[in-house]
Amino acid sequence: MKRLSLLGATGSIGRSVAKVLADAPGLFEVEAVAGGRDVAALAQAARSLGARFAAIADPQSGPALAAALEGTGIASGAGPSALIAAAQRDADVVVSAIVGVAGLAPTVAAFAPGRRIALANKECLVAAGSFFMAEAARRGAEILPVDSEHNAIFQALAAAPAAAVEKITLTASGGPFRLRRREEIARAVPQDALKHPNWAMGAKITIDSATLMNKGLELIEAQHLFAVPPERLDAVVHPESVVHGLVSFVDGSVVAGLAMPDMCVPIAHCLVHPERVATTCRRLDLVKLGRLTFEAPDEERFPALRLARAAMEAGGALATMLNAANEVAVAAFLEGRIGFYGITDTVAATLDRMNGGPAPASVAEAHDLDMQARRTAAALLPKFAAKAS
Ligand code: NAD
Ligand code: MG
């Protein structure tokens, strides 16, 4: 049996990983689980997955976690060092599914020769992509993308040598506001933005999907994962979320990855690649779907895409800052402190105020840039305060 550790065990991706493991008993034993601050959910995940070690990020929650695991024989720890310890436990596969730049240090700590990192956390690549990919290669870790678009593209890229790739296209659902006018979108409150048409995901990525920042982050993610220049990367709106990613080759052939919008599909792929494992994931029925539609993204109503593309093209530290400002702004929107367009306004204003500089060359440098951008973004929030309606 292979061993797996699951960072972000209590989240949406974490639960989908548990479902894939339940579909394929006997394939993996779980070494470590880690979560943010929900003690009960983490203890429950540790028990049901039969983990040997559980780590909670909140340093205050150590005693509560230990108490919740009493009598199970599952060891536990709390705080940043416990997250690192969980990441470094002996495992063949480490699933990186913590949300935000908080996942960067534990994911890098998990790099080890021959170890597979099933990467859901895209913020790692946006904040520190050049360093992250080079460091993984240097330490002999294999990075496989869990993100559905990138997973489809990874599979499509196997069709031909890298030199034959002309263009890579990611699809975007368009989010809950795809058909809304700008004035309506401007009035959106968190509960409107949290209603994603196709996917059930954590709050942060769901808001990113509503602004289309998620697609912007994913363009940068693809740039680093597949070592492709920005001009070969494109995004198209596809409301059905069935075609996830496409690779166009120099001869005019296009290889696309299709599946129902169910994260269990790319997770199952990452866990056993190059093998395949039978799952109970949702199945695609083209006749039942009837039609698949595509349209160009509207950067007037969804300026996030333009901001992310500009950061990607500029290179250097801008993507780190874009990610940090976006994390601050999404949290402020969810707390009702800024309006919906306050998210992209905060990101744009933060990038305007910061000097670019070189891309981070270590986790410490990424955290430093991230903190600077967070401070700048936080100071700008009052400018974009939500107006009582
Ligand atoms: P989520 O909010 O449901 O779960 C996040 C997990 O991270 C939880 O286990 C939480 O406890 C943990 N966490 C939060 N803050 C932490 C901290 N400071 N330290 C340690 N752990 C912390 O989010 P999700 O939807 O599962 O997304 C996880 C990641 O996967 C994100 O980066 C997201 O962009 C990416 N992703 C998610 C989906 C999806 O369908 N949910 C698809 C593609 C990519
Ligand atoms: Mg995605």
Side-chain angles (χ1 to χ4, degrees):
M1 255 209 257
K2 287 192 164 183
R3 266 188 271 183
L4 176 142
S5 290
L6 178 50
L7 312 179
T10 57
S12 165
I13 292 286
R15 288 189 296 276
S16 293
V17 172
K19 185 169 171 278
V20 173
L21 294 179
D23 273 353
L27 214 53
F28 285 97
E29 49 186 0
V30 175
E31 179 62 30
V33 291
R37 39 182 57 251
D38 187 340
V39 169
L42 184 63
Q44 169 58 31
R47 284 167 186 263
S48 65
L49 293 168
R52 293 197 179 86
F53 179 68
I56 190 133
D58 176 20
Q60 314 301 325
S61 296
L65 181 60
L69 291 171
E70 209 182 298
T72 60
I74 303 170
S76 65
S81 61
L83 284 187
I84 301 293
Q88 290 179 332
R89 301 273 297 206
D90 196 8
D92 302 287
V93 178
V94 174
V95 180
S96 166
I98 290 172
V99 60
V101 85
L104 177 63
T107 306
V108 171
F111 291 171
R115 184 173 294 165
R116 172 171 299 178
I117 308 293
L119 185 68
N121 177 305
K122 64 194 81 186
E123 293 92 348
C124 284
L125 286 175
V126 178
S130 309
F131 160 74
F132 187 95
M133 294 306 290
E135 184 69 3
R138 193 177 71 80
R139 285 163 52 188
E142 176 194 26
I143 309 291
L144 287 190
V146 168
D147 209 351
S148 53
E149 299 78 2
H150 306 74
N151 186 271
I153 290 161
F154 176 86
Q155 296 194 46
L157 282 169
V165 174
E166 196 167 74
K167 195 173 87 176
I168 290 179
T169 307
L170 290 79
T171 64
S173 69
F177 304 144
R178 182 175 64 92
L179 300 173
R180 303 265 191 97
R181 286 179 295 115
R182 196 184 157 99
E183 308 75 64
E184 289 176 89
I185 299 173
R187 290 193 297 269
V189 295
Q191 76 198 66
D192 305 320
L194 286 169
K195 279 187 210 124
H196 196 281
N198 304 343
W199 301 93
M201 310 180 287
K204 196 264 178 180
I205 183 174
T206 305
I207 300 303
D208 285 345
S209 299
T211 57
L212 289 203
M213 183 59 89
N214 184 50
K215 214 47 53 182
L217 301 178
E218 289 186 352
L219 287 171
I220 302 171
E221 180 185 11
Q223 175 190 28
H224 294 296
L225 273 175
F226 307 124
V228 278
E231 64 274 14
R232 288 183 190 237
L233 288 166
D234 206 1
V236 59
V237 173
H238 167 47
E240 295 84 6
S241 297
V242 163
V243 180
H244 300 288
L246 310 93
V247 180
S248 310
F249 294 103
V250 287
D251 60 358
S253 302
V254 180
V255 179
L258 284 73
M260 290 303 282
D262 178 347
M263 289 309 295
C264 291
V265 177
I267 289 167
H269 171 265
C270 285
L271 295 193
V272 302
H273 169 78
E275 309 290 324
R276 294 279 176 174
V277 60
T279 69
T280 57
C281 303
R282 293 169 70 193
R283 294 297 194 264
L284 181 61
D285 181 337
L286 287 173
V287 173
K288 203 164 154 195
L289 281 166
R291 71 179 67 214
L292 298 176
T293 56
F294 301 90
E295 63 200 40
D298 177 353
E299 295 190 357
E300 288 310 311
R301 288 179 304 138
F302 303 104
L305 212 46
R306 188 171 56 223
L307 289 170
R309 188 172 269 287
M312 169 168 76
E313 283 164 2
L318 277 187
T320 320
M321 292 165 175
L322 169 109
N323 181 68
N326 184 56
E327 288 194 27
V328 168
V330 169
F333 172 71
L334 284 169
E335 290 162 10
R337 295 167 58 205
I338 60 173
F340 187 76
Y341 282 116
I343 300 172
T344 38
D345 287 344
T346 301
V347 173
T350 302
L351 295 184
D352 274 350
R353 300 234 170 152
M354 314 258 332
N355 299 316
S362 65
V363 172
E365 282 183 25
H367 282 166
D368 190 44
L369 287 164
D370 175 82
M371 280 314 298
Q372 287 176 37
R374 276 172 196 270
R375 276 196 291 272
T376 304
L380 285 160
L381 290 175
K383 270 183 78 167
F384 307 114
K387 292 177 194 69
S389 51

